[in-house]
Amino acid sequence: MTHVFTIAIDGPAGAGKGTLARRLADHYRLNLLDTGLTYRAVAHALIQHALPLDNVSAAETAARQVDLARLDRAVLSAHAIGEAASKVAVFPTVRRILVEKQRDFAKTPPGAVLDGRDIGTVVCPDADIKLYVTASAEVRARRRLAEIESIGGTANFAEILADIVHRDERDMGRADSPLKPAADAHLLDTSEMAIEAAFLAARAVIDDVLAKRDKA
Ligand code: C5P
């Protein structure tokens, strides 16, 4: 059986893990799944049907209907949907349904880069490489503000920072699959690192693992 290669990337909102995941998937020619989009799709479905975000059975139904091949980033990337996603993400039954789909995706040859909050700890605990990408809340808020301004929008730094801190608390504080580095994750703090430097640092870690494996 051919080995399916898995790179698990976890970290808080806005740490740069999405861009890093995309660069690594391109470089190592692996499939790519932004698992945040799966939680966003559930939240979006509830909002579309004007259902409250704590309606667990509706969230379970929406989770079953999530089709990984049809996740529309343009629709799902809205800031408010990210916030709503972190509310439906606390339900263990919703997580179980989505995690199963994410695991099936990871098993598809030649393997995948998955990014999220619980990839190294829950979804793919046997991943070949685990990265935990983080940055200070201030740096993440500054980046988010620059992103919004670069597309002509306006936003308030203090509000963005408060949102980020709040989402961190919800993601790190929930009982089921809280955000935390896996014991065997490589930590990558991008507070003072441009994305290119983070990409090179991640490649160094991955190439090292691959070289040791080739020798073994
Ligand atoms: O990464 P993104 O901001 O798109 O994720 C939205 C929300 O979905 C997160 O704040 C988190 O609550 C939830 N999520 C999760 N587990 C994942 C990915 C995302 O709980 N693997």
Side-chain angles (χ1 to χ4, degrees), residues 58-163:
E60 287 167 9
T61 303
R64 278 189 209 99
Q65 286 168 352
V66 167
D67 178 350
L68 298 191
R70 303 184 61 153
L71 295 167
D72 187 345
R73 178 177 297 280
V75 171
L76 300 175
S77 64
H79 178 70
I81 297 182
E83 178 68 16
S86 72
K87 293 184 181 157
V88 299
V90 301
F91 300 123
T93 49
V94 170
R95 300 198 69 84
R96 228 172 294 140
I97 294 164
L98 294 179
V99 165
E100 202 175 310
K101 291 176 196 256
Q102 294 161 9
R103 284 184 181 146
D104 283 346
F105 183 92
K107 277 188 225 144
T108 308
V113 180
L114 293 92
D115 76 276
R117 304 291 188 287
D118 60 342
I119 309 302
T121 50
V122 175
V123 180
C124 302
D126 298 325
D128 300 271
I129 312 278
K130 297 181 187 179
L131 302 172
Y132 189 85
V133 184
T134 187
S136 72
E138 287 73 17
V139 167
R140 289 184 279 136
R142 221 176 297 134
R143 284 183 191 153
R144 176 71 41 92
L145 183 64
E147 212 176 277
I148 294 169
E149 288 176 347
S150 76
I151 52 167
T154 49
N156 175 290
F157 177 78
E159 275 171 26
I160 294 180
L161 180 60
D163 266 11

